[in-house]
């Protein structure tokens, strides 16, 4: 039924609790029966892509947006179909979503929670978006996820790595495909022990927001459990561009490992400063000084240049994984081919997760036969799928977190080209990175999804 068959009854307040405070349009059927927030018409459906187009994570945001546009093209039957050809679910057929052409609107989160909420609010209230997706900052993701929960809109998280997104701040209307801080710690710690030994002293520089906090917590817990000592931890502003004043004290701290819990432009700048201060060539405690970046991407590696060589970290996905490790990671080559044909270079992990999330949402709507958020939630909870580049994957019902293999990576010493800067050191099997839904790092027993919200 199109919006022309609805009677607009003004603006209402929706939310799980009285006064939850998001104003959204409500459409009622002519016969007076309520539908759900931003129920689409017969011909098209609008998705909201909310990414950092400015700020320290803008490079990641630009690649996310490229992938979103490619996903829409494939959903509407354009291009070569990409991962629609390899996805284990065959509900999608290139005719849009439930026969409606997919349209989209975009917004700039500016890597700021308030700006991201304002952008998402505008998409919901003014543009009629029925699903919001995007990210790069976990602070943004948590804020927008809460807004969508209040509004009765689905939130399909983009690049967000903080435990909080599907931990203490999990929401029934929110789902995350990307991995998290706990998984990074569980995957990376054994490799760090094997490469650098168990008698190490670590100094953490940590981005001062929820992603930095949970990543430091996860790395500290996993490395201290194997014998490392944490000698200091210093928080750095997300807006920082010169980290020299933070790097200098590391030299006389007694540490022999620097852990940079930084992402995007922050990591490029802090790693560059660390190399300029001679940490890559330093000795401490009778050992070679080492630098670890728990989470990084090919985009960041490109920005860091030669400084990334030899640096260990983790990734959600890598564009070379199917060629290197075989058909278990099918879907990767199909996506890389589609993305490369359209844009002229391979996709980042940010592009991959946002493309996959768009298809997963569309597939869930198609299988549910409804755009109603609670129907989509039911279709996604406990959903097992394959052919999307990560191997067999589960969307766990308890917390709406995807569980799959995790990659440990290292910057290449002699890359062949500017897109071949990272090598896969190890694929950590999903069982090694799986945890209980009430794990202390995830909010413990008090963490709850709450109830799904259809909104209007």
């Amino acid at each position: 039924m199109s919006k022309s068959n609805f009677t607009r009854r003004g603006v209402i307040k929706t939310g799980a609790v009285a006064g939850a405070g998001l104003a959204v349009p409500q459409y009622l059927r002519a016969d007076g029966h309520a539908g759900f927030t931003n129920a689409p018409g017969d011909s098209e459906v609008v998705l909201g892509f909310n990414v950092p187009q400015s700020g320290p994570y803008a490079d990641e945001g630009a690649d996310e947006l490229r992938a979103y546009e490619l996903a829409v093209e494939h959903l509407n039957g354009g291009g070569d179909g990409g991962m629609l050809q390899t996805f284990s679910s065959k509900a999608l057929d290139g005719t849009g979503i439930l026969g409606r052409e997919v349209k989209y609107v975009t917004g700039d989160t500016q890597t700021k929670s308030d700006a991201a909420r304002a952008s998402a609010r505008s998409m919901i209230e003014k543009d009629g978006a029925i699903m919001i997706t995007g990210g790069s900052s976990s602070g943004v993701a948590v804020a927008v996820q809460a807004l969508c929960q209040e509004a009765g809109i689905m939130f399909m998280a983009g690049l967000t790595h903080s435990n909080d997104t599907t931990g203490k701040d999990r929401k029934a209307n929110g789902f995350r495909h990307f991995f998290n801080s706990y998984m990074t710690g569980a995957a990376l710690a054994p490799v760090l022990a094997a490469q650098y030994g168990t008698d190490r002293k670590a100094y953490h520089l940590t981005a001062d927001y929820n992603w930095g906090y949970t990543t430091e917590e996860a790395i500290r817990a996993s490395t201290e459990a194997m014998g490392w000592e944490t000698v200091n931890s210093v928080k750095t502003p997300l807006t920082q561009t010169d980290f020299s004043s933070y790097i200098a004290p590391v030299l006389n701290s007694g540490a022999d490992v620097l852990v940079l819990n930084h992402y995007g432009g922050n990591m490029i700048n802090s790693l560059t400063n660390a190399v300029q201060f001679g940490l890559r060539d330093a000795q401490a405690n009778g050992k070679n000084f080492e630098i670890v970046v728990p989470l990084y991407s090919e985009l960041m590696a490109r920005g860091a240049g030669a400084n990334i060589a030899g640096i260990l970290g983790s990734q959600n996905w890598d564009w070379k994984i199917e060629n290197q490790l075989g058909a278990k990671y099918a879907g990767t080559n199909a996506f890389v081919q589609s993305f490369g044909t359209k844009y002229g270079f391979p996709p980042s992990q940010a592009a991959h997760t946002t493309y996959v999330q768009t298809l997963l949402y569309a597939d869930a709507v198609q299988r549910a036969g409804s755009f109603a958020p609670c129907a989509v939630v039911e279709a996604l909870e406990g959903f097992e799928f394959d052919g999307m580049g990560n191997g067999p994957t589960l969307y766990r019902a308890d917390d709406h977190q995807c569980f799959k293999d995790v990659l440990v990576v290292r910057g290449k010493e002699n890359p062949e080209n500017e897109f071949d800067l990272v090598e896969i050191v190890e694929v950590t099997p999903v069982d090694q990175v799986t945890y209980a839904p009430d794990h202390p790092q995830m909010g413990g027993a008090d963490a709850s999804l709450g109830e799904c919200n259809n909104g209007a």
Side-chain angles (χ1 to χ4, degrees), residues 161 178-180 183-189 191 293-296 298 312-322 324-325 328-329 332 349 352 389-391 404-410 422-430 433:
H161 184 250
F178 205 70
F179 71 142
N180 59 40
M183 295 174 176
T184 285
L188 193 53
V191 178
V293 178
L295 174 69
Y296 70 87
E298 293 267 6
L312 286 168
S314 67
Q315 288 187 175
N316 187 67
W317 173 86
D318 185 275
W319 68 270
K320 305 177 292 296
I321 189 170
E322 186 175 354
Q324 293 183 8
L325 298 176
K328 178 180 181 181
Y329 302 103
T332 292
Q349 63 175 350
H352 172 256
N390 294 107
K404 55 199 182 306
D405 295 348
V406 170
L407 308 186
V408 175
V409 298
R410 178 170 49 215
V422 174
E423 61 185 355
I424 299 169
V425 174
E426 180 177 292
V427 176
T428 306
V430 61
V433 299

Side-chain angles (χ1 to χ4, degrees), residues 143-196:
V144 174
Q145 179 171 254
L147 180 90
C148 291
Q149 181 68 37
E150 294 172 5
I153 294 291
M154 290 295 297
F155 178 68
M156 301 295 288
L159 196 161
T160 167
H161 184 250
S162 171
N163 287 337
D164 294 350
T165 308
T166 48
K168 72 179 185 65
D169 294 315
R170 69 187 73 163
K171 300 295 181 186
N173 283 40
F175 287 80
R176 171 166 58 182
H177 171 262
F178 205 70
F179 71 142
N180 59 40
S181 300
Y182 175 93
M183 295 174 176
T184 285
L188 193 53
V191 178
L192 293 177
Q195 297 277 332
Y196 304 145

